[in-house]
Amino acid sequence: MSRPARILVVEDDRVVARDLRQQLGHLGYQVVGVTARGEDAAALARSTSAELALTDIRLEGAMDGIDAAQEIRLACDIPVVFLTAYADDETLRRARLTEPFGYLLKPFEDSQLRTAIEMALYKHANDRKLRESERRYAATLASIGDAVITTDEAGCIRYLNPVAERLIHCRADAALGRPLAELYRVSDEETGPWAQAPGAGLMLHGPGREPVPIEQSVSPLIDERGKVTGSVLVFRDLSHRRTVEKELRDAQAELARVSGLTTMGELAASIAHEINQPLAAIVTNASAGLNWLRRPQPELAEVEQLLGWILADGSRAAGVIKSLQALARKSGPELARLDMAATIHEVAQLMRPDIQRHGVRLQLGPFAAQSHVLGDRIQIQQVLVNLLRNGIEAIRDSTGGSGADSSRLLVVSTAPGEAGEVAICVTDSGDGVAEAHRERLFDAFFTTKPHGMGMGLAICRSIVEAHQGRLWATPVAPRGLRLAFALPAAPG
């Protein structure tokens, strides 16, 4: 059961005040105070936590009931019901200014008094809820990052939040009631004509300032009868976003430029790395050929053989450059059926001078019964040359003794890989690679050698992956490293 409403009586007639107290008690209300002076009404209402005031318009003293009602309303925010015997026009006009919640002419019945009190309490509770809702609504709109303007049906501004104030450069108190078009003018960023259409690509214009890029949306305000009573305009300053987007585009352009330079650097390094060996062979053979020709009896047969080798090395260098350019252009390899056993023997013959110079024992095989793959001959030869050179250098730089045969052994073999693959393995007896470095072996410019470029294995990976294959490294016990790659087997 709800507690009785707490009521303050402001009445200068003691008999009427006494009867009113009794009447209210009979109706179930609690009278928390009675005063005959308007000057005391507001303070008494506040100290007694009154919820409603019944006030006579004519009071003793300098302040009448209308002035007292105004003080009560401002100090306590409680409803006031006037009880009076006067109903002239001037009194009613003054009373209306205080926004009373009821007006009873004396004498009145209990039912009339109850009705006036209950209606006043009910209306005041609803008004309080409405004001709280409006405050929450205003606080929400004031705190959001978007600008908000509401207009009435005539297009005049009824509300704008602080963000809108900043964007249109006008305070709310100066903007309220003014036509929206005076303060808010929008043009299409591309075509230029004035527009109020929703969307992005708009420019907000105002006197004395540069246009601001915005994004906006417009929604109608519709009452319960379906009538449009105004509109809500929500817009957002896109200046910061445009700045960020421009910086991002500039950063992407710079990244593309740097990436292009990096790619060019990688291509140049790759070409230098790959043609170094055939160029060195050309120089060596040319020097030997000159020596043969300078003898008292020139050895023309030997010179002819050397010229053949020079021609072969020159052709191989040209093929290397062509294949690396194809990799840089992301064009696919020229696939053909390759016998990997025969290809390994060809590459071993090319690498024979290096193998002999470093005292490496080369073992070719065992080879799988089916060692045919689909590949680009020049590019697969490049892979094998790099892997063999890597193994030769690992053996050359090995800390193991040279007396044991196993310490100078390089084995090249093939074996069945996963389904539909052929695996080619190059196993050296060098010192191996630290586990921490093994994952980076195939990264461009990563090397564990004092004078290495770090491109050989990176090129191998690019070529093998372009052939839809795999490349990996595994340690060998008790020492050494196995570099292996797998390629799709040729059909048939």
Side-chain angles (χ1 to χ4, degrees):
M1 183 176 181
S2 61
R3 62 175 179 79
R6 301 166 61 83
I7 297 178
L8 170 68
V9 175
V10 184
E11 173 62 65
D12 59 355
D13 188 321
R14 295 184 179 180
V15 175
V16 174
R18 181 196 62 199
D19 292 343
L20 189 55
R21 178 192 286 269
Q22 292 176 352
Q23 191 175 7
L24 291 168
H26 176 69
L27 291 173
Y29 299 108
Q30 179 183 1
V31 178
V32 294
V34 178
T35 182
R37 290 170 48 83
E39 294 85 349
D40 301 333
L44 184 60
R46 186 166 52 247
S47 64
T48 59
S49 301
E51 297 171 305
L52 181 140
L54 294 174
T55 305
D56 193 356
I57 289 180
R58 297 292 179 89
L59 295 174
E60 296 177 354
M63 182 180 290
D64 65 6
I66 294 175
D67 293 332
Q70 183 71 11
E71 291 284 338
I72 293 171
R73 178 172 170 271
L74 294 176
C76 306
D77 187 27
I78 62 173
V80 175
V81 175
F82 286 125
L83 307 176
T84 184
Y86 302 94
D88 58 275
D89 291 343
E90 178 60 22
T91 300
L92 289 174
R93 186 192 66 79
R94 289 186 60 226
R96 280 197 300 270
L97 296 177
T98 65
E99 301 181 7
F101 283 79
Y103 196 100
L104 284 175
L105 290 175
K106 299 176 182 179
F108 44 78
E109 301 292 333
D110 286 359
S111 60
Q112 293 175 313
L113 179 59
R114 178 190 291 275
T115 299
I117 292 174
E118 293 300 322
M119 289 298 294
L121 291 171
Y122 177 78
K123 184 174 183 296
H124 182 262
N126 282 346
D127 286 352
R128 177 173 289 174
K129 290 179 182 178
L130 179 60
R131 289 195 301 272
E132 290 175 354
S133 176
E134 289 175 343
R135 283 195 294 269
R136 287 195 298 270
Y137 168 76
T140 300
L141 293 182
S143 64
I144 65 176
D146 291 342
V148 180
I149 297 177
T150 63
T151 68
D152 58 21
E153 60 272 20
C156 295
I157 297 174
R158 294 195 304 188
Y159 170 84
L160 69 163
N161 68 350
V163 181
E165 288 182 295
R166 291 194 296 272
L167 284 180
I168 68 172
H169 289 221
C170 185
R171 291 175 54 85
D173 52 4
L176 296 182
R178 295 174 63 178
L180 177 65
E182 289 185 6
L183 301 172
Y184 186 86
R185 297 184 300 160
V186 178
S187 69
D188 186 278
E189 192 172 10
E190 297 292 335
T191 60
W194 301 110
Q196 297 291 348
L202 304 176
M203 301 296 291
L204 173 63
H205 299 260
R209 68 175 187 271
E210 291 293 324
V212 177
I214 64 166
E215 178 182 50
Q216 75 168 11
S217 62
V218 183
S219 301
L221 291 173
I222 303 175
D223 64 15
E224 62 276 5
R225 296 186 298 274
K227 179 183 176 182
V228 176
T229 61
S231 62
V232 177
L233 181 68
V234 181
F235 55 103
R236 178 180 303 168
D237 185 354
L238 298 182
S239 301
H240 178 67
R241 183 194 297 180
R242 294 288 178 84
T243 300
V244 172
E245 289 174 349
K246 181 180 182 302
E247 291 175 351
L248 180 59
R249 287 194 300 271
D250 292 345
Q252 288 173 336
E254 179 65 15
L255 180 61
R257 187 184 71 84
V258 172
S259 178
L261 292 175
T262 302
T263 301
M264 289 175 60
E266 290 181 356
L267 178 60
S270 300
I271 292 174
H273 182 276
E274 291 302 298
I275 67 174
N276 183 59
Q277 198 271 341
L279 286 179
I282 289 172
V283 171
T284 301
N285 290 328
S287 177
L290 288 173
N291 290 333
W292 286 111
L293 289 173
R294 288 168 181 165
R295 290 188 174 186
Q297 295 294 327
E299 297 287 344
L300 297 182
E302 296 291 344
V303 172
E304 183 180 2
Q305 183 181 32
L306 290 174
L307 288 175
W309 290 347
I310 290 172
L311 179 62
D313 285 327
S315 299
R316 187 158 68 90
V320 167
I321 293 174
K322 180 181 178 181
S323 65
L324 288 174
Q325 288 174 333
L327 281 177
R329 290 193 301 266
K330 306 292 186 184
S331 58
E334 298 179 2
L335 300 180
R337 183 182 175 89
L338 291 180
D339 182 348
M340 285 309 303
T343 303
I344 289 169
H345 278 91
E346 290 174 4
V347 171
Q349 186 63 33
L350 290 172
M351 300 296 294
R352 183 70 60 183
D354 282 349
I355 292 170
Q356 293 174 347
R357 183 166 62 254
H358 295 292
V360 174
R361 292 178 55 248
L362 179 64
Q363 175 184 318
L364 302 182
F367 299 119
Q370 163 42 2
S371 294
H372 289 79
V373 300
L374 286 176
D376 184 300
R377 186 178 66 85
I378 295 294
Q379 292 186 5
I380 298 305
Q381 283 183 346
Q382 279 182 264
V383 173
L384 287 169
V385 166
N386 276 310
L387 296 188
L388 264 68
R389 183 184 300 143
N390 194 83
I392 292 168
E393 292 174 352
I395 293 172
R396 177 197 67 191
D397 300 332
S398 172
T399 58
S402 58
D405 289 344
S406 62
S407 66
R408 312 293 295 177
L409 182 62
L410 182 64
V411 179
V412 187
S413 61
T414 67
E418 295 183 359
E421 289 182 339
V422 174
I424 301 93
C425 305
V426 178
T427 307
D428 66 63
S429 56
D431 291 337
V433 177
E435 184 177 356
H437 295 160
R438 205 174 301 145
E439 293 298 321
R440 300 187 58 196
L441 273 180
F442 306 108
D443 293 345
F445 302 112
F446 175 80
T447 181
T448 59
K449 302 168 187 175
H451 304 292
M453 294 182 64
M455 291 303 302
L457 295 181
I459 293 168
C460 292
R461 182 176 65 176
S462 298
I463 292 174
V464 170
E465 290 179 352
H467 282 74
Q468 307 301 313
R470 300 176 294 115
L471 177 65
W472 67 95
T474 53
V476 177
R479 56 187 292 124
L481 182 71
R482 176 176 293 116
L483 295 173
F485 65 100
L487 297 176

